[in-house]
Amino acid sequence: MTRRLLLAAAASLFASPASAGALTDAIRGDMPQLMTLYRDLHTNPELSMQEVRTPAKLAADARKLGFTVTEKVGKTGVVAVMKNGPGPVLLIRADMDGLPVVEQTGLPFASKVRAVARSGVETGVMHACGHDTHMTSWLGTARRLAAMKDQWSGTLVMILQPGEETGEGAKAMLDDGLFTRFPKPDHVLAFHDAAAIPAGVIGVTPGYALANVDSVDITVRGVGGHGAYPQTTRDPIVLASRIVTTLQTLVSRENDPANPAVVTVGSFQAGAKHNIISDEAKLQLTVRSYKPEVRKLLLDGIRRIARGEAIAAGVPEDRMPIVTTRDGEYTPATFNTEAFSNRALALFAENFGAQRVMKTPAVMGGEDFGRFWLADNKIQSLIFWVGGTPLKDYQAAGGDASKLPSLHSPFWAPEADTVISTAIEALTLASLDVLKKG
Ligand SMILES: [Zn+2]
Ligand SMILES: [Zn+2]
């Protein structure tokens, strides 16, 4: 849907004959309690892989609903299983971590939490990515599905994942036996709140939805000396500048334009004083792609360009640039399998009305949800978006998301009740569809 169409549709959003079924009513009844949980989670965010209070609280809630709950899976993850007769195994995932961001929303339940980030620096902590809406919807969905056990058959594996923001949590849970110690899913499902679409609108992206994310460091080494005598040096700032410029040709000249790719130099640090040519410059890059062959083209190209430009600059062999890929921080691309995506699109449109459901374009952001599908690509996998930006703000901005707070902004304040009630309904409907009684 184009922005103009979306704006027009958004205007009639709540005038639509949205389903007023038993499920919608039941969720409405759950909402006061769920919003109390949401505000509590929002006020008490925890940093990646340091989630302690959050999983303990939600594990207790899931136990009360009749789930068999295992804690500390993948360090701080939770696995809640409900076996309910023969049928498929469906995994539903919510992520738990907040971000090292000082909240500036001004909400009465804004976070004042401070913690020491991995960098060793003390920082504010905020649910600036909306993972608090994910967890609240996770519990709301668990509650609905537990109450509707007579309407489905199969096994439900509901997981709370740590460390999404650092790209570690899904891997940590898989490495800790998520698919071997617990029933192995044949469907995996999740949602993420979204800033670029109005509250209550659902976006589904069949195929590649989010990118491969690689972090690369380049240490450019030169030969330092006096700024007045450049002929006695090999200036790493000039060389690093050339490397930055030549890197632009990877996407513009070497990559097939039909395949999305990004090479961004986000940090360039060198030198200390006007008249000193330093002996080192440091570059930090984020490198994004969908397909494995594009990822390889970019990473190989970065090494080749760094070395090639150093040779051109006359840098001695033993001072060639050092290119390091941070493999521990790699997040693989997220792929939404066609069958599950298209089924969900049809199901959501039928339930919410076509004006509240859109096919959204893929983005170059990252998510480690894709790891569950990568662990076994026979699995049907889907992560969909639920818009969180209040409709009036969206309309005031003319549908231009760049004028609105984005995810990770200290001002990100989604219309939480709309996100949560929409997400619970969508997750529950998709679950009932997967776990249909034979
Ligand atoms: Zn995030
Ligand atoms: Zn997130």
Side-chain angles (χ1 to χ4, degrees), residues 71-369:
E71 293 179 66
K72 300 192 168 64
V73 180
K75 197 166 177 209
T76 72
V78 174
V79 181
V81 178
M82 184 174 279
K83 290 186 177 163
N84 186 31
V89 178
L90 169 66
L91 181 148
I92 300 178
R93 172 269 215 171
D95 39 12
M96 297 189 285
D97 47 340
L99 283 159
V101 169
V102 180
E103 177 157 358
Q104 294 177 56
T105 58
L107 289 168
F109 52 93
S111 162
K112 294 185 183 66
V113 171
R114 296 192 66 78
V116 177
R118 210 167 289 174
S119 60
V121 176
E122 197 197 279
T123 164
V125 186
M126 174 189 176
H127 268 303
C129 204
H131 297 181
D132 44 2
T133 66
H134 303 176
M135 291 185 279
T136 309
S137 305
W138 180 93
L139 189 72
T141 304
R143 188 162 165 175
R144 277 303 102 218
L145 288 170
M148 297 166 85
K149 268 179 99 168
D150 58 330
Q151 294 177 44
W152 57 274
S153 184
T155 299
L156 197 54
V157 180
M158 302 210 45
I159 68 163
L160 292 167
Q161 184 206 298
E164 187 280 323
E165 297 293 353
T166 51
E168 297 165 285
K171 185 170 188 304
M173 290 190 81
L174 286 164
D175 289 349
D176 198 8
L178 178 62
F179 285 2
T180 51
R181 288 166 56 198
F182 306 96
K184 187 178 170 195
D186 32 47
H187 286 71
V188 295
L189 179 66
F191 87 100
H192 203 296
D193 68 329
I197 42 181
V201 174
I202 295 177
V204 178
T205 313
Y208 281 113
L210 293 128
N212 286 308
V213 179
D214 282 284
S215 299
V216 179
D217 295 82
I218 306 179
T219 304
V220 178
R221 299 178 299 170
V223 178
H226 198 296
Y229 311 106
Q231 73 278 17
T232 66
T233 72
R234 297 285 178 219
D235 187 341
I237 293 184
V238 174
L239 170 53
S241 303
R242 282 193 206 155
I243 291 172
V244 171
T245 312
T246 308
L247 286 175
Q248 309 309 311
T249 63
L250 275 174
V251 175
S252 71
R253 303 290 84 186
E254 293 192 35
N255 180 52
D256 177 346
N259 293 327
V262 173
V263 177
T264 293
V265 180
S267 169
F268 186 140
Q269 290 175 15
K273 197 173 182 304
H274 305 69
N275 62 353
I276 301 173
I277 293 172
S278 65
D279 59 2
E280 201 173 86
K282 285 186 185 264
L283 303 175
Q284 295 187 327
L285 285 64
T286 187
V287 181
R288 313 233 167 176
S289 57
Y290 295 122
K291 296 181 177 171
E293 58 270 29
V294 177
R295 177 176 181 239
K296 182 170 181 345
L297 176 123
L298 299 176
L299 295 177
D300 289 352
I302 289 166
R303 289 181 191 283
R304 192 191 70 237
I305 287 169
R307 180 172 167 79
E309 290 294 347
I311 291 170
V315 170
E317 188 60 36
D318 64 346
R319 298 285 292 162
M320 282 294 135
I322 300 167
V323 180
T324 320
T325 307
R326 294 196 191 187
D327 295 328
E329 293 174 22
Y330 166 59
T331 304
T334 300
F335 187 78
N336 286 331
T337 53
E338 303 283 340
F340 200 10
S341 309
N342 290 327
R343 179 73 193 140
L345 269 169
L347 198 66
F348 295 161
E350 187 187 322
N351 182 73
F352 295 101
Q355 72 278 22
R356 276 182 70 186
V357 182
M358 59 193 289
K359 241 189 202 182
T360 35
V363 293
M364 296 311 271
E367 234 304 337
D368 66 357
F369 181 72

